[in-house]
Amino acid sequence: MPKAHFYLIDKPRFREQPLLLVCELAKKAYAANVPTLILARDPAQAEALDDLLWAFDPDEYLPHQIAGMDADEDEAPVLIASPDTDVPLRPLLINLRDAAPQGAFERVLEVVPADPAARDPLRARWKHYQTLGFELKKFDM
């Protein structure tokens, strides 16, 4: 059964820089040896994530790259894709876009903004995944 996990931003460090939570989730997936695709909202967000992943953990490099930048992207454990790149889905998706991903995958992680006014699209996505029979979980971060 596919899973959808919603991560609600709560801690001050994630409120200040929500993409840090994305880095944390990508790091956990990499440690578990799960190929991950981050669906960035736009090319600027993809670049920001790329920069943040380089500096995220000073003691450990998190192998990643932006889709469409290199020929060996299939080998990158963490791949960042903006909407203008067409890449195959991976078992784990971290979705930062407004729409739910389409296609076959095992688990999707949704990052929920701290601002309650910005949460409506996520509520709609929760219902969407529920309708599709996903196992749903929510985490306060």
Side-chain angles (χ1 to χ4, degrees), residues 3-135:
K3 298 177 173 123
H5 294 175
F6 287 73
Y7 290 83
L8 282 68
I9 290 177
D10 190 37
K11 292 179 183 163
R13 76 183 198 120
F14 295 143
R15 283 177 179 263
E16 290 163 22
Q17 198 168 15
L19 293 182
L20 278 178
L21 176 55
V22 177
C23 292
E24 194 71 49
L25 297 171
K27 182 180 176 183
K28 285 181 182 174
Y30 175 64
N33 203 22
V34 177
T36 304
L37 177 62
I38 301 174
L39 299 172
R41 187 175 307 270
D42 53 41
Q45 187 182 58
E47 293 283 344
L49 263 167
D50 181 49
D51 292 345
L52 205 52
L53 283 166
W54 277 107
F56 178 65
D57 188 338
D59 300 324
E60 182 184 356
Y61 170 65
L62 185 57
H64 68 281
Q65 67 186 63
I66 297 176
M69 297 288 186
D70 203 342
D72 66 351
E73 64 188 35
D74 292 344
E75 296 169 22
V78 177
L79 190 61
I80 306 164
S82 57
D84 57 353
T85 54
D86 186 25
V87 295
L89 295 182
R90 292 181 166 197
L92 177 64
L93 306 179
I94 300 175
N95 187 29
L96 303 175
R97 298 180 187 167
D98 290 332
Q102 304 295 313
F105 51 89
E106 294 168 20
R107 191 163 46 132
V108 60
L109 310 182
E110 296 277 1
V111 175
V112 182
D115 177 7
R119 292 186 173 180
D120 281 345
L122 279 299
R123 286 187 186 97
R125 255 182 290 186
W126 179 281
K127 290 177 183 158
H128 169 76
Y129 293 130
Q130 201 170 33
T131 304
L132 294 175
F134 278 57
E135 177 188 304

